[in-house]
Amino acid sequence: MLKDSLTFPNGATVANRFVMPAMLTNSGLDGFATQDTIDYYRERANAGGMIITEYMYVSENGGPAMTWREGREQLAAYDDKFIPQLKKVAQAMKRNGNKAIMQIAHTGREANYRAMRGEKVYAPSAVDYPFLPYRVHELSDADIRQIVADFGAAAKRAIDAGFDGVEIHGANHYLIQQFFSAYANQRTDDWGGSLEKRMNFPAVVVKTVMAVVKKYAPKDFIVGYRISPEEIHGENVGYTWHEATQLINKLTSETKLDYLHLSMMNYNSKPGDALLMDREQAAAKFNDSTKPFATLFKPYLNGAKEIIVGNITNGEQAVAASKLADLVAVGRENLIDPHFAEKVLRNDENQIVTILSAAQAKKVQLTPGLIDTFSAATPGMPITRSADLQSLHQGFGAWNEMKYPHNAEMK
Ligand SMILES: Cc1cc2nc3c(=O)[nH]c(=O)nc-3n(C[C@H](O)[C@H](O)[C@H](O)COP(=O)(O)O)c2cc1C
């Protein structure tokens, strides 16, 4: 039942089965959380028993990425100087006793705002991506070891800032996924090649974070991992769900992860419903099971709890999702109505707001950066929750107007 509490392997208990997943707020300034960031999270403190921050980049060369509006950036966690603001974010999120989780990431090739600033962008291999206008550079072995250490240092900062846990972002085409992907990772050293070697980077990041947590955090500090269940780019297969379940089996058997968060377009997505890219082609070729990913990943969790997400916009869908997995994450609906979970839990569904008018956006402390972003997608208000992720990732009008400087490494 959605109302039921849940206890993670480490002993931490969340009050109900709702989760707010990581969502970029477009509210940072030079990597620092701003008052807009804090107000946004304070308003969402009851969005679930657990609330996850947007992705924070752990290395100076790991972002910013996917900033949809110039001057409104991704948040950073690569230096202790960010801790005071992060503390305020954690406090705002935890004010009603729900768990606050910080998502940690290195954006790798997706650091498009870096490219826009004329800085070098790094990835496992210097692949010429048809969908990127800028060049990417191969990381050296020493760079990779530094990034692994940076994940550990960022986890320490999350502990120091008072978060209840971290989510390691292994999904959505960012660096950890790039290492696991045979398409993005063409290395011939220990970090690439066979499936086993492509698992090395995710595995060592998880182990490093776990070691930091064991040393510095309270016993019930939560550590989760997010993965996209498959990666298909038309003809180029990054990995199939068969490989992804092997990775998860390794991660959850080598370390005691508290949860696995499947990043999906729909809570009941099935093989072939590849995230974001070439869905039709993928569906034709890779639909080798009619079971949802939520079910297919279960045998490989080794005690970790499972979170699913994707297009949950009413109580009925939330209940259906809760039958497939332990926890149910609700993203875009929480941008529009951060009291969605509370309303479902107290059977007050007719009070749920589904259209984001300008007045509602203000009332629910949507950040100016997100208001701009969604307004650019749907000129003028009101914004509906149908604004889709594909258009967000491709960038809206506002993004396309942004210019690369003359020193940017364009192809
Ligand atoms: C504005 C926005 C920003 C997002 N930023 C992140 C992010 O920082 N990290 C992440 O793992 N996923 C991110 N996502 C994906 C969401 O966590 C979620 O998986 C997705 O929105 C699907 O859930 P929904 O249909 O309930 O919105 C973002 C989604 C949106 C709409």
Side-chain angles (χ1 to χ4, degrees):
M1 289 257 286
L2 289 163
K3 280 193 182 81
D4 294 345
S5 64
L6 176 120
T7 301
F8 287 107
N10 70 0
T13 298
V14 286
N16 60 61
R17 302 304 176 100
F18 279 111
V19 171
M20 184 171 98
M23 283 185 287
L24 170 66
T25 62
N26 258 12
S27 65
L29 192 61
D30 297 328
F32 290 92
T34 61
Q35 193 58 43
D36 290 336
T37 321
I38 295 159
D39 293 344
Y40 165 92
Y41 283 110
R42 178 174 292 117
E43 184 67 23
R44 285 161 181 76
N46 270 349
M50 190 166 100
I51 306 135
I52 306 170
T53 68
E54 62 207 278
Y55 64 167
M56 312 232 176
Y57 57 109
V58 301
S59 308
E60 201 274 331
N61 65 12
M66 220 46 103
T67 290
W68 292 308
R69 202 72 168 161
E70 200 158 15
R72 303 251 169 75
E73 295 177 16
Q74 188 192 355
L75 303 184
Y78 64 78
D79 192 284
D80 287 348
K81 69 183 179 186
F82 297 110
I83 293 176
Q85 283 304 91
L86 292 177
K87 264 188 187 153
K88 292 184 194 164
V89 173
Q91 273 163 9
M93 293 169 85
K94 289 166 57 150
R95 73 186 172 115
N96 295 329
N98 291 315
K99 302 288 181 195
I101 309 293
M102 186 168 116
Q103 192 184 53
I104 51 178
H106 185 295
T107 53
R109 71 164 190 242
E110 302 290 329
N112 45 13
Y113 199 51
R114 247 183 107 65
M116 215 159 258
R117 297 197 306 207
E119 293 161 324
K120 279 195 164 65
V121 173
Y122 296 94
S125 302
V127 174
D128 182 3
Y129 293 103
F131 46 85
L132 293 182
Y134 49 84
R135 241 179 278 156
V136 303
H137 297 267
E138 182 175 302
L139 290 162
S140 69
D141 181 71
D143 295 334
I144 296 169
R145 289 174 197 277
Q146 181 59 51
I147 292 169
V148 170
D150 291 344
F151 269 97
K156 171 80 166 54
R157 290 183 193 110
I159 297 164
D160 292 344
F163 283 94
D164 300 304
V166 289
E167 178 174 285
I168 300 165
H169 195 359
N172 301 359
H173 302 277
Y174 297 110
L175 189 71
I176 296 179
Q177 176 165 336
Q178 291 162 34
F179 269 99
F180 186 50
S181 160
Y183 173 52
N185 183 350
Q186 300 177 1
R187 300 180 72 94
T188 52
D189 60 6
D190 273 355
W191 301 109
S194 63
L195 171 63
E196 201 180 22
K197 287 185 172 177
R198 285 185 281 117
M199 291 184 186
N200 280 342
F201 185 75
V204 77
V205 166
V206 171
K207 276 190 186 154
T208 302
V209 167
M210 283 298 196
V212 167
V213 166
K214 192 162 181 222
K215 189 160 177 200
Y216 298 105
K219 219 181 136 287
D220 62 352
F221 192 84
I222 298 165
V223 182
Y225 187 87
R226 195 169 210 208
I227 193 167
S228 299
E230 63 186 359
E231 181 194 305
I232 320 282
H233 310 260
E235 288 304 300
N236 297 312
V237 180
Y239 57 88
T240 62
W241 67 271
H242 301 279
E243 292 178 315
T245 49
Q246 288 184 59
L247 172 63
I248 294 310
N249 192 39
K250 178 178 167 73
L251 299 181
T252 57
S253 57
E254 286 182 354
T255 57
K256 207 168 150 204
L257 278 172
D258 290 297
Y259 71 81
L260 174 74
H261 190 165
L262 290 177
S263 180
M264 301 182 288
M265 302 295 283
N266 282 291
Y267 66 88
N268 58 3
S269 284
K270 296 182 288 299
D273 294 351
L275 182 80
L276 298 175
M277 290 186 187
D278 306 321
R279 257 177 286 161
E280 292 80 13
Q281 292 175 47
K285 214 166 151 187
F286 295 97
N287 56 351
D288 58 356
S289 172
T290 52
K291 290 185 184 157
F293 287 125
T295 306
L296 295 171
F297 276 70
K298 268 207 176 76
Y300 305 96
L301 298 180
N302 295 304
K305 303 296 179 188
E306 189 183 40
I307 308 181
I308 54 174
V309 70
N311 247 338
I312 294 166
T313 57
N314 60 42
E316 204 179 309
Q317 291 161 337
V319 169
S322 73
K323 296 198 168 129
L324 289 174
D326 301 299
L327 292 154
V328 171
V330 177
R332 284 165 291 172
E333 178 54 32
N334 272 313
L335 299 178
I336 300 169
D337 186 351
H339 305 284
F340 172 80
E342 289 168 273
K343 291 172 184 174
V344 172
L345 291 174
R346 62 167 194 254
N347 293 325
D348 213 359
E349 278 203 52
N350 52 1
Q351 296 301 312
I352 293 170
V353 182
T354 55
I355 301 275
L356 190 62
S357 63
Q360 175 72 4
K362 206 161 178 221
K363 188 170 159 207
V364 299
Q365 308 283 352
L366 199 64
T367 63
L370 280 180
I371 291 175
D372 283 0
T373 305
F374 283 102
S375 308
T378 318
M381 298 277 196
I383 305 160
T384 68
R385 62 183 158 195
S386 65
D388 82 57
L389 288 174
Q390 186 118 15
S391 60
L392 277 175
H393 277 261
Q394 283 167 349
F396 293 139
W399 170 252
N400 294 331
E401 284 160 21
M402 287 165 68
K403 297 277 181 285
Y404 288 87
H406 66 277
N407 61 338
E409 293 189 314
M410 308 307 287
K411 291 200 292 218

